[in-house]
């Protein structure tokens, strides 16, 4: 692979099993994940989506220079995507905050009510809220994990609303936390410290709920 992905994007790349007919790199920015997918032919069709025209113009130039094949560019807010009603599709949504992530998942789901694509979701922050939202929307888990890069932890979840395939419910917190692993412990301590600071902030009503669920993860260790 020519495109260098770094640890976080490599983990997301590896979380995409071969076999999808199309993968959508939503909020793609530099498009590195999608470029990696094209170069390795992990999927026959890559859709790049970002709402910033200058980003997409740069990406288009790069793809032309590479002579890449099997891709399409979509310059629009990802909320407005219309998905084709054929083939297996995975929508990757990474590197955006919890509110943008939820708005995009809601928008795409409402615009495409007859399609149940798989999603690979790795929010930049507030995974507690995203997990709760996915649970409320009836998603189930196909696979999940966490990757650490430059001292920060990034959870990822591959999920679907097709509960015949994604039979495991979304848990909150994730099932993989192990406070005996130093990276896990440091990450959980950071989340908990932040939530404790938010306890008196009326705009952060979730802090108390989150602490009730996350603080026990550090106990007994
Ligand atoms: C930090 S980059 C994330 C890049 C890549 N997904 C990653 O994980 O490294 C965020 C990108 O999301 C795009 N973006 C934010 N909100 C969007 C939306 N509603 N629809 C489409 N693109 C959006 C921005 O233009 C920006 O390029």
């Amino acid at each position: 692979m020519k495109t260098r992905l770094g640890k976080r994007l490599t983990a997301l790349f590896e979380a995409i099993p071969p076999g999808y007919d199309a993968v959508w790199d939503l909020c793609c920015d530099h498009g590195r994940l999608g470029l990696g997918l094209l170069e390795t032919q992990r999927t026959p069709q890559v859709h790049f989506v970002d709402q910033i025209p200058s980003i997409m113009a740069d990406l288009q130039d790069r793809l032309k220079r590479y002579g890449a094949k099997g891709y399409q560019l979509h310059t629009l807010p990802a909320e407005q995507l219309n998905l084709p009603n054929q083939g297996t599709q995975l929508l990757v949504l990474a590197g955006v905050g919890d509110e943008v992530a939820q708005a995009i998942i809601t928008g795409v789901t409402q615009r495409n009510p007859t399609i149940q694509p798989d999603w690979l979701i790795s929010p930049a922050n507030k995974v507690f809220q995203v997990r709760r939202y996915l649970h409320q929307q009836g998603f189930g888990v196909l696979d999940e994990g966490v990757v650490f890069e430059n001292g920060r932890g990034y959870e990822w979840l591959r999920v679907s609303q097709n509960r015949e395939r994604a039979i495991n419910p979304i848990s909150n917190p994730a099932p993989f936390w192990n406070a005996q692993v130093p990276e896990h412990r440091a990450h959980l301590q950071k989340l908990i410290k932040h939530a404790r600071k938010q306890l008196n902030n009326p705009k952060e009503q979730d802090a108390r709920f989150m602490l009730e669920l996350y603080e026990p993860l550090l106990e007994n260790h």
Side-chain angles (χ1 to χ4, degrees):
M1 195 195 305
K2 280 178 270 171
T3 303
R4 291 177 56 134
L5 292 183
K7 247 183 113 179
R8 179 182 63 91
L9 288 176
T10 298
L12 295 181
F13 175 86
E14 285 170 356
I16 301 172
Y20 285 107
D21 293 322
V23 176
W24 295 72
D25 188 358
L26 307 184
C27 302
C28 64
D29 194 2
H30 38 69
R32 288 218 301 275
L33 183 63
L35 287 169
L37 293 167
L38 275 180
E39 287 163 10
T40 54
Q41 297 180 344
R42 205 165 178 91
T43 177
Q45 189 70 25
V46 176
H47 295 269
F48 295 93
V49 181
D50 203 287
Q51 63 186 2
I52 309 277
S54 58
I55 285 179
M56 297 307 270
D58 285 351
L59 188 54
Q60 176 75 82
D61 285 350
R62 212 170 327 143
L63 285 159
K64 275 199 185 136
R65 271 204 311 277
Y66 288 168
K69 294 208 168 56
Y71 69 87
Q72 283 180 46
L73 300 181
H74 309 263
T75 308
L76 80 177
E79 293 87 331
Q80 295 175 11
L81 268 186
N82 293 318
L83 300 173
N85 201 354
Q86 61 191 30
T88 54
Q89 308 187 60
L90 175 73
L91 277 58
V92 182
L93 180 55
V96 292
D98 62 310
E99 288 183 9
V100 174
Q102 289 180 45
I104 290 173
I105 299 164
T106 302
V108 172
T109 306
Q110 285 176 355
R111 281 180 91 91
N112 302 276
T114 60
I115 302 175
Q116 287 185 323
D118 290 353
W119 291 80
L120 176 61
I121 299 167
S122 182
N125 58 24
K126 297 197 176 173
V127 182
F128 169 78
Q129 280 84 346
V130 175
R131 282 182 173 272
R132 182 176 58 191
Y133 166 81
L134 292 173
H135 180 81
Q136 288 164 350
Q137 300 303 312
F139 281 88
V141 180
L142 294 162
D143 198 7
E144 60 190 319
V146 60
V147 56
F148 295 91
E149 183 179 64
N150 300 329
R152 281 197 62 184
Y154 301 90
E155 290 184 45
W156 58 265
L157 302 104
R158 193 160 60 86
V159 297
S160 167
Q161 279 175 315
N162 180 342
R163 296 305 302 278
E164 282 173 20
R165 292 180 51 245
I167 51 176
N168 294 323
I170 310 272
S171 69
N172 204 1
F176 47 67
W177 293 118
N178 177 356
Q180 287 177 329
V181 176
E183 270 180 328
H184 286 208
R185 188 169 188 82
H187 180 77
L188 293 169
Q189 281 170 332
K190 209 166 15 171
L191 288 182
I192 287 168
K193 189 171 162 198
H194 179 72
R196 282 198 191 123
K197 280 197 198 147
Q198 301 297 327
L199 275 177
N200 294 322
N201 179 350
K203 287 191 194 145
E204 296 286 346
Q205 299 280 345
D206 289 334
R208 185 168 305 282
F209 302 128
M210 195 216 144
L211 284 171
E212 278 170 18
L213 294 170
Y214 278 68
E215 275 177 328
L217 296 174
L218 290 180
E219 286 164 12
N220 309 319
H221 290 291

